[in-house]
Amino acid sequence: MTFSIAGRCARTGQFGVALATSSIGAGGRCPHLRPGVGAVLTQARTDPRLGPLGLGLLAGGCGAQQTIDSLVAATPHANWRQLAVLTAAGDAACWTGADVGRPADGMTLDGAVVVGNWVKSETVIAAIAAGYETDPLAELADRLVQGLEGGEQEGGELDPLQSAAVVVCDPAYGFPVIDLRVDLSADPIRDLREAWERWRPIMDGYLQRAVDPANAPMTQVLEGHAKP
């Protein structure tokens, strides 16, 4: 009961994922990312164990389709799973099991993959892709959230949404530079958009804390509660 997108920005080398669903706190179960390696999305009847397993396969040199094939072979309940894989280089693949709640589908783009289940119609998948491709020069997090917004405008999921998340890795850092979650909300995609718009102008200051803490701005300055 989730719709998701994973994408890579050819301009910056960033890759990331965004998702929305009718269940609580899906950002803690469905997306799995490792900087320099790639991303795995596991949804429908979610098995979070498949995320680390998939990342291990990618780290060992498997491509996206090979990783999907190995994950499907590794679980006795593959028909209940919906999976998507994106490598750090932009190779993408997806899987939708026969028992996943319909309508359900997936599609790959150039450097991106979209999957969704229990959505209003299969046109939601195409709408997510269209939203993502609206502005190829936008920041990756913008494009990912635009994908969710496009899917929601097309009808979204059959049940009311409750949670959403966006996670982005950058090749310059060994940890996600964006990791925002809305775990329980009546309008999670709107709230995720607001969280991203608030994180965007202060993100570099927090990243500086990791690499140059002596010269990094204070929290009060970053959050606008004090003068520099």
Side-chain angles (χ1 to χ4, degrees), residues 8 12 21-22 32 35 41-43 59 89 116 120 124 133-134 140 146 224:
R8 179 184 183 273
T12 64
T21 185
S22 59
H32 303 264
L41 287 160
T42 170
Q43 55 193 53
K120 183 176 181 180
V124 171
E133 294 186 317
T134 298
L140 180 61
Q146 285 169 359

Side-chain angles (χ1 to χ4, degrees), residues 98-110:
D99 292 323
V100 170
R102 263 49 182 180
D105 203 359
M107 65 183 296
T108 58
L109 314 170
D110 183 13

Side-chain angles (χ1 to χ4, degrees), residues 20 23 35-36 68 95 134 142 145 154 156 174 187 190 192 205 219 221:
S23 61
I68 288 283
W95 158 269
T134 298
D142 259 330
V145 175
E154 187 64 19
D187 198 347
R190 181 201 63 190
L192 185 66
T219 300
V221 174

Side-chain angles (χ1 to χ4, degrees), residues 78-131:
N79 282 349
W80 294 100
R81 316 300 185 194
Q82 188 171 53
L83 305 167
V85 171
L86 179 75
T87 72
D91 183 29
C94 57
W95 158 269
T96 299
D99 292 323
V100 170
R102 263 49 182 180
D105 203 359
M107 65 183 296
T108 58
L109 314 170
D110 183 13
V113 57
V114 180
V115 285
N117 63 87
W118 199 242
V119 290
K120 183 176 181 180
S121 72
E122 293 182 0
T123 61
V124 171
I125 307 301
I128 296 168

Side-chain angles (χ1 to χ4, degrees), residues 10-53:
R11 177 172 50 86
T12 64
Q14 291 183 340
F15 66 88
V17 304
L19 63 94
T21 185
S22 59
S23 61
I24 296 173
R29 298 188 304 277
C30 297
H32 303 264
L33 293 84
R34 187 182 303 176
V37 174
V40 177
L41 287 160
T42 170
Q43 55 193 53
R45 300 290 175 92
T46 305
D47 183 355
R49 297 172 296 181
L50 298 179
L53 179 58

Side-chain angles (χ1 to χ4, degrees), residues 174-219:
F175 54 88
V177 296
I178 301 167
D179 191 350
L180 302 172
R181 288 168 47 179
V182 177
D183 283 341
L184 181 59
S185 168
D187 198 347
I189 295 177
R190 181 201 63 190
D191 290 349
L192 185 66
R193 164 63 71 183
E194 181 180 352
W196 160 237
E197 296 297 348
R198 292 186 64 175
W199 176 247
R200 184 205 306 258
I202 62 177
M203 178 175 68
D204 288 344
Y206 278 105
L207 295 177
Q208 186 180 0
R209 289 178 161 210
V211 298
D212 186 17
N215 295 304
M218 297 172 58
T219 300

